[in-house]
Amino acid sequence: MKLWGGRFTKEENELVNHFNASISFDQRFYRQDIRGSIAHVTMLAKQKILTDEEKAQIVEGLEHILSDVENGLLSIDPAAEDIHSFVEATLIERIGDVGKKLHTGRSRNDQVALDMKLYVRDEIGELNFLVKELLQAILKIMEENLTAYMPGFTHLQKAQPVTVAHHFGAYFEMFLRDRSRLFDIRKRMNTCPLGAGALAGTTYPLDREYTAALLDFDCATRNSMDSVSDRDYLIELASAMATIMMHLSRFSEEIILWNSNEYQFVELDDAYSTGSSIMPQKKNPDIAELVRGKTGRVYGALTSILTTMKGIPLAYNKDMQEDKEMIFDAIDTTKGCLGLFTGMISTMKFHKDIMKKSAAKGFTNATDAADYLVNHGIPFRDAHGIVGRLVLYCLDKGISLDDMSLEEYKAISPVFEKDIYDAISLKTCVDRRTTLGAPGPSVMEQVIKSYQKMLIEE
Ligand code: ARG
């Protein structure tokens, strides 16, 4: 029997039942549903809409249902329409008629809006925690690799030398922004829809601010129609998760390249690699590839919820039930990827010697050679031309700028002196880049200190 069976004369079609039901996926927020109901009846009793005795019986019944589900003594009935119906029907079955008063002054529309918010709020907390763990892992790598040189790339072509600390610092910044997005969403969504009823509030003297406080919301929502039809926070969360995944995916792509035979910058731990069924020599970066691949499904959730919402008139419409599966999947996927990714980079080995050698090759010091000329009074544009000729000369001979003799330098520009070798050494190229945000270890150290402080102070 449905909650709403009174007005109907026929049992519904089995296929309709199945199509309409959400129990298979909304059962995951049974805790939040029960918590919301307890707050609701507590408020109803405070407002004398229920007696204290009725409240006590209902709360006790709900608490039993919760502990029985947690302990495996009560299984959620897959034939129920949704989690709200299941909890209410079980309550009535267990405590009798008084249980029928639970839904006074409430609709499933404000109830599901509340449950989803409570659930998502908890999950934002977990996502935050996982991003923080990732930040800590990145920071540790930065601390340990302040002077580990590596090539910096643009267009995937060697550009200028940087350090591992500097490269990882870029990701630290990205995930820091991701965290602040999660904080923002949590702050903006933290208003309580309970009491909005089906769409137009109720005639009972509810104390909505009291319920909001019981459930740790900052305040109650101000428009009952918006309360039951707002899913903005899910769109924001899907967008924030899509951005986290985009960052993880870029990072994965780099690790896949670095772990390849051609680069050999890093080696993934055996525990985070997989083998091939045919080629015995293989050690594949499947975890990084899967993270990169799963980014697509999180983007899918964002597109899906945006599309679902775009044509819905006020207020609640059943389309909104479609907000759940995609968002749940996106949350599970993002959480899973964050955890695994942190483990993967924490156990990854850096081949610092190979990275350093690679940084020294490919004319990554050409800009510094030009800067040397500028420091000796040559205008930058001319210096650029001179170094271009040096590079051409080296390419022809198959050598690097460091291998040229002073005579060879002087043949192209008399300005060059013996100190050119020091000016274009890898160490100088990196150490002298000390503008804020650059890889120079002295400035990087300051930045790392500010990151450490950020993570401790929260
Ligand atoms: N399962 C529904 C959902 O997820 C609950 C709300 C049902 N409300 C209604 N008016 N049928 O949206």
Side-chain angles (χ1 to χ4, degrees), residues 63-107:
E63 279 169 351
H64 269 144
I65 293 176
L66 179 61
S67 62
D68 285 356
V69 174
E70 305 272 30
N71 300 328
L73 299 173
L74 173 66
S75 47
I76 295 173
D77 178 7
E81 182 182 344
D82 53 30
I83 190 64
H84 327 295
S85 318
F86 171 74
V87 172
E88 190 178 325
T90 310
L91 183 74
I92 295 168
E93 200 182 287
R94 287 182 170 196
I95 68 169
D97 278 354
V98 63
K100 294 180 180 167
K101 297 196 172 183
L102 166 64
H103 211 52
T104 312
R106 186 175 74 169
S107 155

Side-chain angles (χ1 to χ4, degrees), residues 350-363:
F350 290 89
H351 293 311
K352 295 187 197 178
D353 46 335
I354 297 179
M355 289 176 131
K356 186 174 172 184
K357 268 195 204 121
S358 170
K361 282 196 211 123
F363 302 100

Side-chain angles (χ1 to χ4, degrees), residues 27-79:
Q27 59 177 282
R28 74 154 76 193
F29 51 51
Y30 68 87
R31 262 187 226 110
Q32 287 80 4
D33 190 76
I34 292 174
R35 185 176 173 206
S37 289
I38 291 175
H40 181 63
V41 291
T42 305
M43 180 275 295
L44 290 179
K46 181 181 94 66
Q47 297 303 97
K48 311 270 180 249
I49 302 165
L50 292 188
T51 66
D52 285 341
E53 173 55 26
E54 287 167 335
K55 174 198 101 174
Q57 275 178 274
I58 295 175
V59 168
E60 202 195 319
L62 287 169
E63 279 169 351
H64 269 144
I65 293 176
L66 179 61
S67 62
D68 285 356
V69 174
E70 305 272 30
N71 300 328
L73 299 173
L74 173 66
S75 47
I76 295 173
D77 178 7

Side-chain angles (χ1 to χ4, degrees), residues 4 20-23 25-26 29 81-84 107-109 112 231 316-324:
W4 35 263
N20 189 46
S22 53
I23 189 76
F25 47 88
D26 65 16
F29 51 51
E81 182 182 344
D82 53 30
I83 190 64
H84 327 295
S107 155
R108 273 186 303 167
N109 297 353
V112 76
R231 298 294 184 271
Y316 178 86
N317 295 263
K318 193 67 173 244
D319 316 39
M320 288 173 180
Q321 183 165 287
E322 285 296 306
D323 62 357
K324 292 178 193 62

Side-chain angles (χ1 to χ4, degrees), residues 366 370-371 373-374 378-390:
D371 290 345
L373 293 172
V374 170
I378 312 257
F380 182 77
R381 196 44 63 211
D382 294 339
H384 188 284
I386 294 169
V387 177
R389 289 203 293 284
L390 289 177

